[in-house]
Amino acid sequence: LALISEAELHRLASEALGATGLRETDADDAARILVLGDLFGIHTHGVSRIESYGERLALGGIKAQPDMRIERVAPSIAKLDGDNGLGPLVGMRALREAMAMASESGTAAVFARASNHFGPVAPYNYLAAREGFASIIGSNASTTIAPTGGREARLGNSPVGFGIPGDRAPIILDMAVSVVARAKIRDALKRGEPIPDTWATDAEGRPTTDPRAALDGFLQPIGGYKGYGLALIVDLFAGLLSGAAYLTHVQSWSDHPEKPQDLGHFFVLVDVKRLGSAEWLAARVADFKRILHETPPVDPARPVLLPGEIELGVLQRQRREGIAIADDVLAALRAITSRSA
Amino acid sequence: LALISEAELHRLASEALGATGLRETDADDAARILVLGDLFGIHTHGVSRIESYGERLALGGIKAQPDMRIERVAPSIAKLDGDNGLGPLVGMRALREAMAMASESGTAAVFARASNHFGPVAPYNYLAAREGFASIIGSNASTTIAPTGGREARLGNSPVGFGIPGDRAPIILDMAVSVVARAKIRDALKRGEPIPDTWATDAEGRPTTDPRAALDGFLQPIGGYKGYGLALIVDLFAGLLSGAAYLTHVQSWSDHPEKPQDLGHFFVLVDVKRLGSAEWLAARVADFKRILHETPPVDPARPVLLPGEIELGVLQRQRREGIAIADDVLAALRAITSRSA
């Protein structure tokens, strides 16, 4: 594990992305999202992804130099054709357009299609919040969730993020709709432990405590039909309305790395600066946080937190002390860069 | 139980609301939302509410003839001061403004403050969808949910609704963030049955299977910290950003019926007509529904449904055959009307 500065990690990530064929400014954009992922401590969705992005670029499943096209269909709505470019690049382009439109109109929506995995959602919410925008941002994903009452995966474990600008730090909720990620089930299998029957179903759609049966089955969405409904709403906004693929039309990255996924994303922004002064907002958000922080805790050693608070704490610490990156991830980035040099 | 036509129920509800002091057009607006609640089969949030609304109006906790003021703070953002008017009235005014702005700009957000319980959310999503708008609509509520790791209620079981216009019928998800409503726990207590330990905690914040302890404790949000996060996001949009009360600042209707609650709501709309033709949308939504309906079911007798499908089916049937309303509810409406006559 190495501690590396944000600037240095950004340089390494940009160079590696450039080495896979991206234009310099595009590599810079995509690196920004991934480095923020690492800054938040979400290393599974950080620069470690560049290696697999590179593999898909090499196979032609992602286009290194896409011809992205923005079409404004209303004063505050744009459609973005990502031309099968790298997800975080399409995402940054969409976010920038959404911020520009929301600055003019107050609210904005950008719908992106022909895209790919766009990284973690929290960085987009964070960048929007820093400019004073509240945001609701989501993406669809290849299918891993069965509808309530069904026994075949027809929905993705779609991520959705919400951000509100705050006093010193924003409030950010970045979540997928499953109770847990598949990785937690794999961990239980490795340890030879059963799982709670609320995490997943077997292949027949029946709740199971057997991690092996769960991995052959489907992730359970939070709150049963409510989480199923949320997954479906995210796909309607991200996939159906954007003109992208949706539900089972989304290509699986792992099964067909050479085929475009045609993922979709949506970015809905509200310019909070129009609602009141920075002081008004800061005072209300500080009070809001205080009320939650002062809740008597179940365990006195574990005070009540707000969503995103751990990640934002990690970000601040890593900005001071350096970002902790696994040695093999750094080595992979350097290998990608030197291969093309 | 009586079967009564939509027009007749609307007339009865409007007259009863008028008898409580509302202006005729305002009574008409509020009745529209409540009758739609009954049409969807959500009778707990339908015209049966008029009796308790009337009691609060009589106590001065709600203003019968509010001076609602809309302020457009950006081309597509408005703030609405509800002046402590009846919730469904404030809600209808906000929805109408949001639709007008979204028709111009493509997207819109209306933030309402100084309001009250605005009825079920689905009718607002339904009315928006009928005019071609996708919508995200929510309200805060008095506190019943403890933050994750806390043992005091600091959040409401905030309702949020999502709507997407469709082919013949829209897709609507109207949900609260708790696993179940308190009514289901009260039912278990009446039957003398234990409840699943995922429904609620006791007063110390510990999961419980005892319905009595649960009623003294807190509802559990769906997915643990994810549902807590969703409740908090809804309150940030509905309460904090709108300028209304939020978290513990919201007055409890039952504890202080004579005090204004200062609830807040938000209405975020996207004009889907700007994204493609009606034919394009209808074909995609029909395909989306088909993919989900054709999922092999766990129980062959119970095919997979989409959110809102049951309610929309009830609406269609009741429009044909009449709305089923309990006799005591009808009697109460007639009593309110005749008292003032």
Side-chain angles (χ1 to χ4, degrees):
Chain A
L1 211 71
L3 282 180
I4 182 166
S5 75
E6 182 178 0
E8 176 66 6
L9 187 62
H10 186 90
R11 193 184 59 76
L12 280 172
S14 299
E15 283 180 5
L17 287 165
T20 64
L22 268 70
R23 300 176 192 103
E24 200 176 316
T25 51
D26 289 353
D28 205 60
D29 263 3
R32 188 143 185 226
I33 294 299
L34 299 174
V35 169
L36 272 169
D38 286 301
L39 271 168
F40 285 128
I42 320 168
H43 297 299
T44 51
H45 288 60
V47 299
S48 68
R49 291 266 168 159
I50 292 175
E51 196 172 6
S52 65
Y53 287 156
E55 287 163 11
R56 282 203 71 213
L57 282 157
L59 286 168
I62 299 179
K63 206 182 272 189
Q65 301 199 356
D67 180 17
M68 294 187 287
R69 283 164 196 267
I70 284 268
E71 184 191 359
R72 282 211 189 182
V73 296
S76 67
I77 305 182
K79 296 167 73 169
L80 170 57
D81 177 352
D83 191 31
N84 197 28
L86 203 69
L89 171 59
V90 179
M92 270 302 285
R93 177 69 178 270
L95 177 66
R96 211 173 270 131
E97 185 73 10
M99 292 200 288
M101 288 193 299
S103 290
E104 292 167 20
S105 294
T107 63
V110 175
F111 295 92
R113 66 183 185 277
S115 186
N116 291 282
H117 184 271
F118 78 163
V121 188
Y124 300 103
N125 299 116
Y126 175 77
L127 292 171
R130 280 219 318 201
E131 306 293 325
F133 299 101
S135 60
I136 306 175
I137 297 169
S139 176
N140 59 8
S142 49
T143 55
T144 48
I145 289 181
T148 299
R151 52 185 174 83
E152 208 171 274
R154 303 247 154 159
L155 287 147
N157 189 8
S158 301
V160 60
F162 305 87
I164 305 279
D167 43 351
R168 280 162 309 177
I171 299 173
I172 294 174
L173 172 67
D174 170 2
M175 55 177 265
V177 295
S178 65
V179 176
V180 295
R182 280 176 72 87
K184 278 193 92 163
I185 301 174
R186 281 194 294 265
D187 290 350
L189 179 64
K190 270 185 215 157
R191 290 195 308 270
E193 287 171 7
I195 56 171
D197 70 354
T198 51
W199 286 11
T201 67
D202 63 18
E204 298 303 311
R206 295 170 304 213
T208 183
T209 58
D210 174 4
R212 194 176 302 275
L215 288 170
D216 289 337
F218 316 107
L219 293 174
Q220 288 200 59
I222 56 172
Y225 70 92
K226 294 186 179 187
Y228 156 49
L230 285 173
L232 178 155
I233 293 295
V234 174
D235 202 358
L236 284 168
F237 275 84
L240 189 139
L241 292 183
S242 70
Y246 49 79
L247 301 177
T248 46
H249 296 309
V250 174
Q251 290 287 340
S252 157
W253 177 314
S254 39
D255 296 349
H256 298 287
E258 78 293 352
K259 285 193 189 165
Q261 281 198 286
D262 195 13
L263 283 196
H265 322 306
F266 70 92
F267 296 73
V268 171
L269 265 58
V270 176
D271 188 352
V272 173
K273 301 181 289 298
R274 304 282 193 138
L275 293 170
S277 69
E279 295 69 33
W280 169 84
L281 181 70
R284 285 173 79 83
V285 171
D287 180 56
F288 191 96
K289 290 179 179 176
R290 181 190 58 75
I291 292 171
L292 292 170
H293 286 150
E294 290 180 356
T295 314
V298 173
D299 172 356
R302 303 184 65 180
V304 167
L305 297 174
L306 278 83
E309 214 160 27
I310 292 173
E311 291 79 5
L312 287 160
V314 171
L315 172 120
Q316 283 168 353
R317 197 192 66 230
Q318 293 200 122
R319 280 208 162 130
R320 283 195 312 271
E321 302 173 4
I323 308 173
I325 300 288
D327 294 328
D328 60 331
V329 170
L330 285 181
L333 290 182
R334 291 188 176 116
I336 294 167
T337 306
S338 63
R339 260 206 305 276
S340 80
Chain B
L1 212 70
L3 281 180
I4 180 166
S5 75
E6 181 179 0
E8 176 66 5
L9 187 61
H10 185 91
R11 192 184 60 76
L12 280 173
S14 301
E15 283 181 3
L17 286 165
T20 65
L22 269 70
R23 301 178 192 100
E24 199 176 318
T25 52
D26 290 353
D28 205 61
D29 263 3
R32 188 144 184 224
I33 294 299
L34 299 174
V35 170
L36 272 168
D38 286 303
L39 271 167
F40 284 129
I42 320 168
H43 297 297
T44 52
H45 288 60
V47 299
S48 68
R49 291 267 168 159
I50 292 175
E51 195 172 9
S52 65
Y53 287 155
E55 288 163 11
R56 283 204 72 216
L57 282 158
L59 285 168
I62 298 178
K63 207 182 271 187
Q65 301 199 355
D67 181 17
M68 295 188 286
R69 283 164 196 266
I70 284 269
E71 184 191 358
R72 282 211 190 183
V73 295
S76 67
I77 304 182
K79 296 167 72 170
L80 170 58
D81 177 351
D83 191 32
N84 196 29
L86 202 70
L89 171 59
V90 178
M92 270 302 285
R93 178 68 179 271
L95 176 66
R96 211 173 272 131
E97 186 72 10
M99 291 199 289
M101 288 193 299
S103 290
E104 292 167 21
S105 294
T107 63
V110 175
F111 296 93
R113 65 183 185 279
S115 186
N116 292 282
H117 184 271
F118 78 164
V121 188
Y124 300 102
N125 298 117
Y126 175 78
L127 293 171
R130 280 219 317 200
E131 306 293 325
F133 300 100
S135 60
I136 306 177
I137 297 169
S139 176
N140 59 9
S142 49
T143 56
T144 48
I145 288 182
T148 300
R151 53 185 173 82
E152 209 171 273
R154 302 246 155 162
L155 288 146
N157 189 10
S158 300
V160 59
F162 304 87
I164 305 278
D167 42 352
R168 277 163 308 176
I171 299 173
I172 293 175
L173 172 66
D174 171 1
M175 56 178 263
V177 295
S178 65
V179 176
V180 295
R182 281 176 71 87
K184 277 192 93 161
I185 302 175
R186 280 195 294 266
D187 290 348
L189 179 65
K190 269 184 218 157
R191 289 194 309 269
E193 286 172 9
I195 57 172
D197 70 355
T198 51
W199 284 11
T201 67
D202 63 19
E204 298 303 311
R206 294 170 307 212
T208 183
T209 58
D210 174 4
R212 195 176 301 274
L215 289 170
D216 289 337
F218 316 107
L219 294 175
Q220 286 200 61
I222 55 171
Y225 70 94
K226 294 186 180 187
Y228 157 48
L230 285 174
L232 180 154
I233 293 294
V234 174
D235 201 357
L236 284 168
F237 275 84
L240 189 138
L241 291 183
S242 71
Y246 48 80
L247 300 177
T248 47
H249 295 310
V250 174
Q251 291 287 341
S252 158
W253 177 314
S254 38
D255 295 350
H256 297 287
E258 77 293 352
K259 284 193 189 167
Q261 282 199 285
D262 195 13
L263 283 196
H265 323 305
F266 70 92
F267 296 73
V268 172
L269 265 60
V270 176
D271 188 353
V272 173
K273 301 180 289 299
R274 303 281 194 140
L275 293 170
S277 69
E279 293 70 32
W280 169 84
L281 181 71
R284 285 173 79 82
V285 171
D287 180 56
F288 191 98
K289 290 180 178 174
R290 181 191 57 76
I291 292 171
L292 293 169
H293 285 149
E294 289 180 355
T295 314
V298 173
D299 172 355
R302 303 183 66 180
V304 167
L305 297 174
L306 278 82
E309 213 159 30
I310 292 173
E311 291 80 4
L312 288 160
V314 171
L315 172 120
Q316 283 168 354
R317 196 193 66 229
Q318 293 200 122
R319 280 209 161 129
R320 282 196 311 270
E321 302 174 3
I323 308 172
I325 300 287
D327 295 327
D328 60 333
V329 171
L330 286 181
L333 290 182
R334 292 189 175 116
I336 294 168
T337 306
S338 64
R339 259 205 305 277
S340 81

